[in-house]
């Protein structure tokens, strides 16, 4: 049952300055819920003024004690090394007993999700700690974020008309982070989602080339996709991206060639509204691909 929104107990959002957490904060505020946001750097957090900002570091468990006091549930984004996770999750379970965890679809038997991946190992480890802690949990497993395209291609599209990238025909079903956040907020607010384990994707299968075409159409520009070989991509990212991350992505993309991307209906099942399309995401994020005066 949803706890009455007038309840004074806040929801603690970790990763609140990140891509998903910031949107979870917005969703909770829109639902009228009190929000406490965790950050290591409150002076740089730039969160709405009605949010209670708490300072804490996931790698130093005792710094979380104040943030965890009196909270009703925690949205947990674990981007830190694993070492402190047992002590942190034990504290969360003891103080709130309710955790909504952002993870990934590493259990899904699709080649894209079954390549060697250090992050998948970390997610599996955190999930086990949450399960063993006895906390009432919900696991949210989004596939590729739509906003990854901004991180990957923003500079190339701002500065030119060609996206140089490997595996033009590798498919994903990119998910709009607003949908991830909406599912997370719904899970935090309504105990009907206790025990839920949700693989979330966008509504449509799109190749890399399709995604570039959609961004180009949205911007009203011609943008070419020039396919790089995996070795060209390694050279292209050398000194900029960690080699382990490059190999992880190349393995996942390579394995997905010729495989239809996984598409689930979980977002629309849970929210009762269709998942946002990549076209919608691109239309709402043109600034990511446009020079301020360009
Ligand atoms: N990108 C994808 O396609 C994808 C797909 C599925 C799952 N995921 C998962 O999504 C998660 C990342 O989410 P995101 O993109 O929203 O995060 P993000 O934008 O990378 O932001 C990271 C957040 O973590 C906080 N943080 C980092 N280290 C911390 C620490 N030691 N103590 C406290 N807070 C810390 C940061 O807060 P401060 O700096 O303010 O302290 C920041 O709010 C990862 O687990 C990733 O594996 C990503």
């Amino acid at each position: 049952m949803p706890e009455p929104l007038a309840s004074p107990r806040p929801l603690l959002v970790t990763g609140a300055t990140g891509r998903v957490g910031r949107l979870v904060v917005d969703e909770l505020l829109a639902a009228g819920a009190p929000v406490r946001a965790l950050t290591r750097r409150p002076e740089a957090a730039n969160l709405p003024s009605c949010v209670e900002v708490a300072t804490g570091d996931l790698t130093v468990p005792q710094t979380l004690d104040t943030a965890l006091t009196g909270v009703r549930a925690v949205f947990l984004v674990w981007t830190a090394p694993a070492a402190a996770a047992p002590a942190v999750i034990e504290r969360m379970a003891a103080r709130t007993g309710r955790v909504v965890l952002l993870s990934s679809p590493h259990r899904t038997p699709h080649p894209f999700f079954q390549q060697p991946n250090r992050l998948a190992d970390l997610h599996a480890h955190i999930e086990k700690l949450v399960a063993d802690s006895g906390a009432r949990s919900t696991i949210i497993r989004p596939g590729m974020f739509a906003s990854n395209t901004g991180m990957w291609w923003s500079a190339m599209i701002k500065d030119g008309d060609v996206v140089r990238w490997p595996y033009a025909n590798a498919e994903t079903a990119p998910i709009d982070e607003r949908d991830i956040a909406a599912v997370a907020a719904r899970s935090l607010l309504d105990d009907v989602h206790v025990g839920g384990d949700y693989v979330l994707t966008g509504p449509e299968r799109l190749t890399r080339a399709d995604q570039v075409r959609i961004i180009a159409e949205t911007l009203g520009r011609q943008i070419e996709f020039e396919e790089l070989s995996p070795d060209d991509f390694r050279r292209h990212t050398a000194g900029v991206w960690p080699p382990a991350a490059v190999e992880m992505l190349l393995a996942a993309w390579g394995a997905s060639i010729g495989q239809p991307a996984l598409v689930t209906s979980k977002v629309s099942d849970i929210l009762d509204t269709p998942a946002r399309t990549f076209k919608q995401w691109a239309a709402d994020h043109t600034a990511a691909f446009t020079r301020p005066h360009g």
Side-chain angles (χ1 to χ4, degrees), residues 14-22 38-42 44-45 56-60 63-64 75-81 102-105 113 117 119-120 122-123 140-148 151-152 175 177 180:
T14 72
T17 60
R19 285 188 283 178
V20 176
R22 200 173 275 285
L38 186 82
T39 175
R40 291 163 299 174
R41 296 182 305 135
D57 187 330
L58 292 170
T59 65
V60 189
T63 65
L64 305 176
F75 178 61
L76 179 57
V77 180
W78 193 278
T79 53
L102 178 63
S103 186
S104 61
F113 300 115
N117 183 329
L119 283 178
L122 177 63
H123 289 153
I140 294 186
R141 305 177 184 277
M144 272 286 174
F145 294 1
S147 65
N148 290 349
M151 291 175 13
W152 298 336
I175 179 163
E177 291 76 15
I180 305 171

Side-chain angles (χ1 to χ4, degrees), residues 18 52 59-60 91 109 117 136 158 163 199 237 271 276 285:
E52 182 191 350
T59 65
V60 189
R91 271 177 155 78
N117 183 329
R136 294 173 308 132
K158 280 178 177 172
V163 167
V199 175
T237 51
L271 301 178
R276 292 173 172 92
H285 293 83

Side-chain angles (χ1 to χ4, degrees), residues 36-234:
R36 188 177 293 164
L38 186 82
T39 175
R40 291 163 299 174
R41 296 182 305 135
E43 69 287 355
N46 193 24
L47 288 157
S49 58
C50 55
V51 171
E52 182 191 350
V53 178
T55 308
D57 187 330
L58 292 170
T59 65
V60 189
Q62 61 276 22
T63 65
L64 305 176
D65 288 348
T66 306
L68 283 168
T69 301
V71 297
R72 161 177 161 191
V74 176
F75 178 61
L76 179 57
V77 180
W78 193 278
T79 53
V88 169
I89 289 164
E90 193 185 302
R91 271 177 155 78
M92 286 180 177
R95 283 160 193 260
T96 88
R98 176 82 178 101
V99 175
V100 174
L101 174 67
L102 178 63
S103 186
S104 61
H106 60 88
R107 293 181 174 176
T108 298
H110 183 288
F112 182 82
F113 300 115
Q114 289 307 322
Q115 304 311 304
N117 183 329
R118 282 179 307 116
L119 283 178
D121 295 342
L122 177 63
H123 289 153
H125 176 62
I126 303 294
E127 284 166 35
K128 179 159 183 349
L129 292 172
V130 170
D132 292 349
S133 75
R136 294 173 308 132
S137 64
T138 309
I139 314 288
I140 294 186
R141 305 177 184 277
M144 272 286 174
F145 294 1
S147 65
N148 290 349
T149 60
M151 291 175 13
W152 298 336
W153 303 333
S154 163
M156 283 186 272
I157 293 175
K158 280 178 177 172
D159 294 342
D161 297 320
V162 183
V163 167
R164 296 182 177 83
W165 210 249
Y167 296 118
N169 293 317
E171 279 190 1
T172 53
I175 179 163
D176 191 311
E177 291 76 15
R178 292 171 293 187
D179 286 335
I180 305 171
V183 170
R186 195 68 71 91
S187 302
L188 287 161
L189 292 170
D190 194 338
D191 276 354
V192 75
H193 295 291
V194 171
D197 188 322
Y198 305 135
V199 175
L200 308 179
T201 70
E204 61 200 331
R205 297 162 32 194
L206 295 171
T207 65
R208 290 277 172 277
D210 290 332
Q211 291 171 49
V212 170
R213 175 183 47 74
I214 290 168
I215 292 168
E217 284 168 6
T218 306
L219 298 173
R221 290 176 46 193
Q222 295 278 344
I223 300 170
E224 232 182 277
F225 192 108
E226 186 181 305
E227 181 156 345
L228 297 180
S229 70
D231 273 344
D232 284 341
F233 185 64
R234 289 183 181 98

